[in-house]
Amino acid sequence: MTTLTVLGSCGAWPEPGRACSGYLLTHRGFRIVLDLGYATAPRLFETVPDGAVDAVIVTHEHPDHCVDVSALGRVREHLHGGRPRLPLYGTPGVLRVLRALEPRPDPETVFEFHDLARGGRIGPLELIAFPLPHHVPNHGVRLTAPGLTVAYTGDTGPSAALAALSRDADLVIAEATLSGGKPTTGPRYLMTAGEAGAFAAEAGARRLLLTHFWPGADRAASVARARERFGGEVLAATEGMVVELP
């Protein structure tokens, strides 16, 4: 069985009772963390008490996507010292943030760092990274295995690359930070739910999971806007949600 567990669904900072961006993808027993922002570590440890995941992917260096990787590093250091380093795929800025949070031990003694832009094989899954527009370097990720495709945008403004990222995906995890209609000013580094629905439809995706909601956002309204543009199933990410795939 393949499942995606939502660890957090907020952008910027966590609402009470929620957490920022974080997801756990489990495929054939192989566990990959996708981002690990504020307040996601306790939720991860509810599912994986000893932090024994197999790989971590971080789309970009903003703390609402990566700060709790430091907590995972502490667990790995104290409970799994002597084991092989945990593969971490991210942008160079992610490593700089982790070093600023915890310089000793150096994060590279706990994590085996890989440049996310290069993609590669992660256990049973193939990773392809797509550079997408954001305030800092950000890469959407496409994870594939026979009979399975999961796409995740990280944070992004509208981009032609989103259709390729999400082509025929079983599940698209898309940030939908902005409420209301499409902004008229630019440059654009975040999306609306309607825009997420439009690119998922263009890509021929099967399901759309909206996430990275601005604290206080009306999530039901975001789902409704996405459904105006996308004919497949639209879900609003919520902490603890488990999505079965494909």
Side-chain angles (χ1 to χ4, degrees):
M1 178 184 293
T2 302
T3 59
L4 181 93
T5 302
V6 177
L7 307 174
S9 62
C10 292
W13 67 88
E15 295 179 273
R18 294 191 182 274
C20 284
S21 293
Y23 316 89
L24 177 65
L25 179 66
T26 303
H27 177 65
R28 295 186 177 178
F30 193 88
R31 293 178 288 202
I32 299 178
V33 170
L34 299 172
D35 284 345
L36 209 57
Y38 296 121
T40 52
R43 296 177 183 276
L44 174 65
F45 300 148
E46 288 175 359
T47 302
V48 188
D50 57 358
V53 298
D54 299 295
V56 178
I57 297 172
V58 178
T59 58
H60 64 288
E61 66 197 73
H62 280 158
D64 58 332
H65 291 256
C66 77
V67 74
D68 270 14
V69 176
S70 183
L72 176 60
R74 284 195 164 200
V75 169
R76 298 286 298 201
E77 174 70 14
H78 289 282
L79 298 185
H80 303 285
R83 289 192 181 185
R85 292 178 297 164
L86 177 63
L88 169 61
Y89 295 77
T91 59
V94 171
L95 196 55
R96 290 194 295 270
V97 169
L98 294 178
R99 282 199 173 109
L101 289 167
E102 184 68 279
R104 289 184 297 275
D106 186 281
E108 286 198 274
T109 68
V110 180
F111 298 104
E112 180 183 274
F113 186 77
H114 301 268
D115 186 348
L116 177 57
R118 297 181 180 179
R121 189 80 182 174
I122 307 181
L125 295 156
E126 189 70 30
L127 164 67
I128 303 174
F130 291 75
L132 296 172
H134 194 46
H135 302 280
V136 297
N138 171 78
H139 287 76
V141 295
R142 180 179 173 92
L143 293 163
T144 61
L148 175 71
T149 299
V150 176
Y152 172 42
T153 65
D155 289 355
T156 181
S159 169
L162 289 167
L165 166 69
S166 306
R167 183 70 59 202
D168 299 324
D170 297 291
L171 179 69
V172 177
I173 309 163
E175 74 101 352
T177 311
L178 304 180
S179 299
K182 181 172 66 174
T184 57
T185 58
R188 294 285 310 286
Y189 297 130
L190 295 166
M191 284 197 303
T192 68
E195 289 169 330
F199 89 73
E202 180 184 356
R206 293 172 179 81
R207 281 194 284 180
L208 174 62
L209 179 66
L210 300 177
T211 192
H212 201 264
F213 297 101
W214 192 259
D218 184 338
R219 298 182 178 210
S222 293
V223 168
R225 292 189 182 96
R227 285 176 176 161
E228 292 173 357
R229 310 293 295 276
F230 178 63
E233 184 179 14
V234 180
L235 303 170
T238 190
E239 286 68 11
M241 172 187 284
V242 178
V243 180
E244 294 187 1
L245 295 163

